[in-house]
Amino acid sequence: METEISGMDNPAMTLDEVSMERNKSFVKALQELKNLRPQLYSAADYCEKSYLHSEQKQMVLDNLKDYTVKALVNAVDHLGTVASKLTDLFDHQNSDISTMEMRASCVSQQLLTCRTYIDKEGLRQQQLLAVIPLHHKHYILPNSVNKRVHFSPLRRTDTRQNHYQAISRLQPSDAPASKSLSWHLGSETKSTLKGTSTVAPSSKDSKAFSKTSGVFHLLGDDENIANKKPLAGSQVSGVPAASTAHKDLEVPKLLTAHRSLDNNPRREIIQAPVRTKSVLSAFFVKQKTPKLKAGYVS
Amino acid sequence: MAKAGGITNAVNVGIAVQADWENREFISHISLNVRRLFEFLVQFESTTKSKLASLNEKLDLLERRLEMLEVQVSTATANPSLFAT
């Protein structure tokens, strides 16, 4: 028994070897229990014959009692050993089955994950076919904005945007850089164009449009002048200094006016005349561009 | 003499009866222990049968599950285009 226990506790043995060792020990104990029965039968026959043929029956009877007790204890011991080994074997079989179930669950989970990945991949490929036209529309959109950007002076007083507008007016319209510039402008002015398109002038706003158009016409002209002023002042040398100083004083007022208009909750109604201002300012731009070009050339 | 022989016989009968009772007591103890052993064997048989049935059920379930997994894996490996992304 000690050699079996030391053999099963050896860590160098693999799982199959340990299981085989347990099976061997159980079979061995069961065989010993099976061999106990003929031994008991033979001992019973010997005791019976000796009791019948011996003259010292009391002594034979005492020996028979002792042997019976020892045989019973031995049988109980063998039965206990066999039962213990069988229970141990059952426990290890249950453990092995649990391990196998866990591995099967792992394989099943891997299959499920693989199937989910395949489904997602197929869905993504199908969604790509539907997404491509959306990208195509996205790249067409700045070209439509490009025309409006050239003819719509925006009310924004951002110096960077004024710089872009000045560059777009100075550069020829068919230049290759104008596309990228218009794309940037389109991406920047997209939000403002959306605001103006949502607030298209209706018949109800026509009166307000007629009332406010004059005011914003002047503002737009002043703004155009203010926007063009640094360019003209920096590149044209024949401009009087007094008029430039007077216009420099007007520019902050206009800026404050625009800021107050931006903060006005009725901004949507006021933004509608910007398109008429842009048309008129486009005429002014056409009239003034030769001067600017002449000044830029000089 | 007759009285003495009668007393001796009575003593011998008493000793024999006492020995007989001791033997009967021993046999009853042995039979009781054998009966307990038999009860243990019956209980162990039922417990072992129940454990064997449970183990057999688990093995059947695991065998079916492994067969299903084997079929699924063979189906997945038979179509390698599904994994090619």
Side-chain angles (χ1 to χ4, degrees), chain A residues 61 64-66 68-69 72 75-76 79-80 82-84 86-87 90-91 93-94 97-98 100-101 104-105 107-108 111 114-115 117-118 121 125, chain B residues 19 22-23 26 29-30 33-34 37 40-41 44 47-49 51-52 54-56 58-59 61-62 65-66 68-69 72-73 76 82-85:
Chain A
L61 189 63
L64 180 60
K65 285 180 181 178
D66 292 337
T68 304
V69 171
L72 187 62
V76 170
L79 276 174
V82 171
S84 173
L86 189 60
T87 305
F90 274 134
D91 290 339
Q93 290 289 333
N94 277 322
I97 287 173
S98 298
M100 289 295 291
E101 283 182 348
S105 299
V107 173
S108 178
L111 270 175
C114 186
R115 190 174 294 171
Y117 174 73
I118 290 169
E121 187 66 22
Q125 288 178 0
Chain B
E22 286 178 356
N23 290 330
F26 175 77
H29 281 297
I30 293 294
N33 287 318
V34 170
L37 187 62
F40 166 76
L41 284 174
F44 181 72
T47 306
T48 306
K49 280 185 177 179
K51 286 183 179 179
L52 273 174
S54 174
L55 205 63
N56 192 21
K58 285 182 180 179
L59 280 172
L61 192 65
L62 187 62
R65 199 170 176 180
L66 284 175
M68 189 183 70
L69 282 174
Q72 286 180 353
V73 169
L82 293 174
F83 295 97
T85 57

Side-chain angles (χ1 to χ4, degrees), chain B residues 1-84:
Chain B
M1 288 294 291
K3 287 184 178 179
I7 292 170
T8 305
N9 288 331
V11 170
N12 289 332
V13 170
I15 291 170
V17 169
Q18 186 177 358
D20 184 66
W21 276 108
E22 286 178 356
N23 290 330
R24 288 176 184 270
E25 187 181 5
F26 175 77
I27 291 169
S28 69
H29 281 297
I30 293 294
S31 62
L32 180 64
N33 287 318
V34 170
R35 193 168 294 173
R36 284 179 181 174
L37 187 62
F38 179 73
E39 288 177 357
F40 166 76
L41 284 174
V42 170
Q43 187 179 358
F44 181 72
E45 183 189 9
S46 63
T47 306
T48 306
K49 280 185 177 179
S50 174
K51 286 183 179 179
L52 273 174
S54 174
L55 205 63
N56 192 21
E57 187 179 357
K58 285 182 180 179
L59 280 172
D60 287 340
L61 192 65
L62 187 62
E63 188 178 359
R64 290 178 187 175
R65 199 170 176 180
L66 284 175
E67 285 179 355
M68 189 183 70
L69 282 174
E70 188 179 357
V71 170
Q72 286 180 353
V73 169
S74 62
T75 305
T77 52
N79 297 320
S81 60
L82 293 174
F83 295 97

